[in-house]
Amino acid sequence: MLSPEQFSRLIEYANYSSHKLVDLLGEFQPPDGIFVKHLSEDQQTIDFEGFQHFVEVYFGADLPTDLVEQLFLSFSKQSKERRLSSFEEAITNVRNKLNGLNPISERLKPTTEEKTYEGVRIPLKPLVCYLSLLEAASPENKLEVVFHVYDSDANGFLDKAEIEGIIEQMMTVARYQHWDTIELEPIIRQMMSDIDLDSDGIVSLEEWKRGGLTTIPLLVLLGFDTLQLDDLKEDGAHVWRLRHFSKPTYCNVCCSALVSWNGKQGLSCGMCKYTAHERCVRNATNRCIRTFSARQCERLSHHWIDANAPSKCAAKCGSSIAVFQGKRCRWCNRHAHNKCLPSISDACDMGELKYHVLPPTHIFPAFLERKNVKQQHVSNLLQAVQPRNNTRPLLVFVNPKSGGRQGVRVLRKFEYMLNPRQVYDLSKVGPEAGLNLFANIPNCNVLVCGGDGTIGWVLDAMDKIDYETSKRPPVAILPLGTGNDLARCLRWGGGYENENLTKILHNIEKAMPIYMDRWQIKIEQKKKSDKGDPPPYNIINNYFSIGVDASIAHRFHVMREKYPEKFNSRMRNKLWYFELGTTETLSSTCKNLHEQIDIL
């Protein structure tokens, strides 16, 4: 098995290689391919000498012998499922090492083996597929590599036998990810059948690419989309953040108080509030909440954590609970003595905020349930469905850059109060991801935490989704911007002043939806020789400006993108507007603008 250091070296070689896998596949084809003599009669396996020749040609360098031998052994000794696990663990360890963290597994050390490879052969397809992980290629290119690898007869089509090999690889990935595979195989077969658009029994390269890029997560199911797989694998792991505590707090690992030279300080999980000293975090139980389930179910169990602060028991006794004398549920935030736990129902009702929370039992891999799912959203890795009880799950978008940069704190609070899958950081991902996840939930609300520009961005993204007129979710606003004019008009306030977020969520629960007029605008350029940026949106939400104030707003946006550290408070932002407005008044860059514009 490859060690993290060896895998890291392999990545470096791949980055500097001038060859691509798709270019070398032809060299395995008889009669003139340079690797043909090393293949078995069925052309499915390759010997050590051929393997060594192949990797040297691919990487364009003489690789260290120990690295070549270890890579060869990783394919010759293990089953398919274990081999996938080895590569996934190696990739995770390399990433952790690059981020300054310790490897998660000590099992990835090279083992001492007798270096005799006579008669030993390794399968060719997994070798080429896993090496494709090293290439920084687009999904389209990776799909092409996989297609050519499984196209054994190189006729440009995948026949029934070749498709069976692909289905077998998908099932291996599913078992490794611990997905519910009872109904998965017929679903995958149906998905592979859907790729064959002309229903002629074979799949062309064009059909394969179209299916993989539009409607079916082929790279995920085959185990080659490591980013999305990592997102699933990290579910249930703690997300540690350094935190200063204002109240006495105790370590969940060693049970002693959190004290440091600059006060009460420790690491706290942002998802479940499990707390530990920095020195204790390696020994912490890695049992955080699961944000989604293997398949849909109606019942959610409590997620109990040792209560590391005094509290009151939610059972009949109602008495106080001393530190570490009881448990706390992450979802409903109820506390109970250890002796009182048997008297509490195992089913969790999500507590005070159940109206807004989307339970993890109603989020599951999209390809495990094809019924009642809109075709345009099948490509999502996860899908959500409406809970049966009388609730309206809340989809939250937070822009940390807005206004006084309060968004980071708001984002972290909502991630703990709700299911983290409901909360999206707009500095990392656009609104489309969240809107697609909630596309099959007819009764939901949307909360936009940001300024007027952020609201316009989210509304524009919602316009592109084919909602039924009565099913479009209402939008609430938590004003984090500088002016917040739209929030003022809709009576959500002129700015967030660190109010209690639970109270704001209760206000959203009681709010009645109203309809807001939005206007479409069309801008035409009379002189084709004139140059300028196109308008970002063609819909007006509250106002549209041309001239002095538009120039000031644009300059403010450019400055904030370039120097974000200078825009860290709402008052400071207003001073910037004042400075830019004064400069614009003196320079008069928009003088005689009325002579150049016609309004129809």
Side-chain angles (χ1 to χ4, degrees), residues 430-476:
E432 294 78 12
L435 293 172
N436 287 340
L437 176 66
F438 273 61
N440 297 297
I441 300 181
N443 299 317
C444 67
N445 295 324
V446 176
L447 174 62
V448 181
C449 307
D452 291 347
T454 305
I455 300 166
W457 182 14
V458 173
L459 293 178
D460 183 67
M462 294 177 68
D463 291 338
K464 297 175 183 177
I465 294 182
D466 187 21
Y467 289 112
E468 297 179 20
T469 305
S470 60
K471 300 297 183 181
R472 182 177 175 120
V475 178

Side-chain angles (χ1 to χ4, degrees), residues 38-291:
H38 301 290
L39 295 176
S40 58
E41 292 184 2
D42 60 1
Q43 299 183 5
Q44 299 299 309
T45 61
I46 190 171
D47 59 22
F48 177 74
E49 184 181 352
F51 170 80
Q52 189 173 25
H53 187 194
F54 167 70
V55 295
E56 287 178 356
V57 172
Y58 170 64
F59 291 110
D62 293 331
L63 272 66
T65 304
D66 66 324
L67 184 60
V68 176
E69 291 174 348
Q70 205 64 40
L71 181 60
F72 184 79
L73 287 174
S74 71
F75 283 94
S76 64
K77 288 284 185 181
Q78 301 165 335
S79 66
K80 293 179 182 178
E81 185 170 344
R82 180 58 192 156
R83 185 164 56 243
L84 176 63
S85 173
S86 302
F87 265 72
E88 291 292 332
E89 290 177 357
I91 291 172
T92 303
N93 277 276
V94 171
R95 288 176 178 165
N96 286 348
K97 185 177 180 182
L98 294 176
N99 291 329
L101 302 175
N102 291 324
I104 61 171
S105 173
E106 295 298 329
R107 296 176 292 152
L108 297 179
K109 298 179 180 178
T111 57
T112 303
E113 305 241 0
E114 185 180 355
K115 299 178 180 180
T116 302
Y117 307 113
E118 184 177 353
V120 179
R121 309 185 71 87
I122 63 172
L124 184 61
K125 290 180 181 179
L127 167 65
V128 178
C129 286
Y130 291 128
L131 284 179
S132 70
L133 286 173
L134 304 178
E135 296 188 352
S138 65
E140 185 175 4
N141 290 340
K142 287 193 175 186
L143 284 168
E144 184 174 353
V145 169
V146 175
F147 180 90
H148 288 301
V149 168
Y150 281 91
D151 183 16
S152 304
D153 50 12
N155 64 351
F157 296 95
L158 297 176
D159 56 29
K160 185 176 180 180
E162 292 162 345
I163 291 175
E164 284 296 323
I166 294 175
I167 293 175
E168 183 181 356
Q169 169 71 7
M170 291 180 176
M171 294 300 294
T172 298
V173 173
R175 286 189 290 270
Y176 172 60
Q177 292 292 334
H178 304 292
W179 293 332
D180 189 341
T181 57
I182 296 178
E183 300 180 5
L184 181 59
E185 185 171 353
I187 293 173
I188 288 180
R189 292 187 181 279
Q190 181 60 46
M191 292 167 68
M192 296 301 295
S193 175
D194 293 341
I195 294 179
D196 184 12
L197 298 178
D198 53 10
S199 301
D200 59 356
I202 56 177
V203 176
S204 65
L205 177 59
E206 182 180 353
E207 291 173 328
W208 173 261
K209 285 184 180 180
R210 185 181 303 175
L213 294 173
T214 57
T215 60
I216 299 174
L218 287 175
L219 290 175
V220 175
L221 287 170
L222 287 166
F224 304 138
D225 191 335
T226 56
L227 291 177
Q228 294 200 58
L229 283 175
D230 284 347
D231 182 49
L232 290 185
K233 286 173 61 181
E234 291 173 2
D235 193 62
H238 291 302
V239 180
W240 298 110
R241 293 178 181 133
L242 187 63
R243 184 180 172 188
H244 296 268
F245 299 91
S246 59
K247 298 179 180 179
T249 308
Y250 294 82
C251 175
N252 281 98
V253 179
C254 69
C255 300
S256 60
L258 292 170
V259 180
S260 66
W261 62 272
N262 59 345
K264 293 180 279 292
Q265 175 181 297
L267 293 174
S268 179
C269 174
M271 304 296 108
C272 68
K273 300 303 180 187
Y274 188 95
T275 306
H277 291 101
E278 292 184 65
R279 64 177 182 271
C280 297
V281 72
R282 293 184 181 181
N283 300 322
T285 303
N286 198 17
R287 182 181 166 271
C288 194
I289 57 168
R290 303 288 300 189
T291 60

Side-chain angles (χ1 to χ4, degrees), residues 542-557:
N542 49 341
Y543 52 71
F544 176 77
S545 178
I546 300 175
V548 176
D549 47 351
S551 176
I552 296 170
H554 181 260
R555 289 174 61 190
F556 177 88
H557 172 73

Side-chain angles (χ1 to χ4, degrees), residues 335-475:
H335 295 70
H337 290 101
N338 292 325
K339 63 182 180 181
C340 296
L341 284 178
S343 65
I344 296 179
S345 172
D346 184 58
C348 181
D349 64 358
M350 308 303 293
E352 182 182 8
L353 299 177
K354 60 184 178 182
Y355 183 83
H356 300 286
V357 179
L358 179 61
T361 51
H362 289 72
I363 307 175
F364 48 90
F367 40 83
L368 297 182
E369 180 62 60
R370 302 272 287 182
K371 299 176 182 178
N372 301 322
V373 179
K374 295 181 181 180
Q375 182 68 23
Q376 63 264 35
H377 303 300
V378 173
S379 59
N380 295 331
L381 190 55
L382 294 174
Q383 74 172 70
V385 294
Q386 177 76 45
R388 290 185 179 178
N389 49 4
N390 185 27
T391 63
R392 294 185 68 90
L394 184 67
L395 174 60
V396 182
F397 295 110
V398 183
N399 187 355
K401 298 180 180 179
S402 293
R405 303 181 69 83
Q406 300 166 293
V408 175
R409 186 166 59 254
V410 170
L411 175 73
R412 292 178 178 179
K413 287 184 177 181
F414 275 131
E415 283 180 336
Y416 177 70
M417 297 169 67
L418 307 172
N419 187 334
R421 295 278 172 186
Q422 297 176 242
V423 186
Y424 288 83
D425 183 349
L426 292 179
S427 67
K428 297 180 179 179
V429 64
E432 294 78 12
L435 293 172
N436 287 340
L437 176 66
F438 273 61
N440 297 297
I441 300 181
N443 299 317
C444 67
N445 295 324
V446 176
L447 174 62
V448 181
C449 307
D452 291 347
T454 305
I455 300 166
W457 182 14
V458 173
L459 293 178
D460 183 67
M462 294 177 68
D463 291 338
K464 297 175 183 177
I465 294 182
D466 187 21
Y467 289 112
E468 297 179 20
T469 305
S470 60
K471 300 297 183 181
R472 182 177 175 120
V475 178

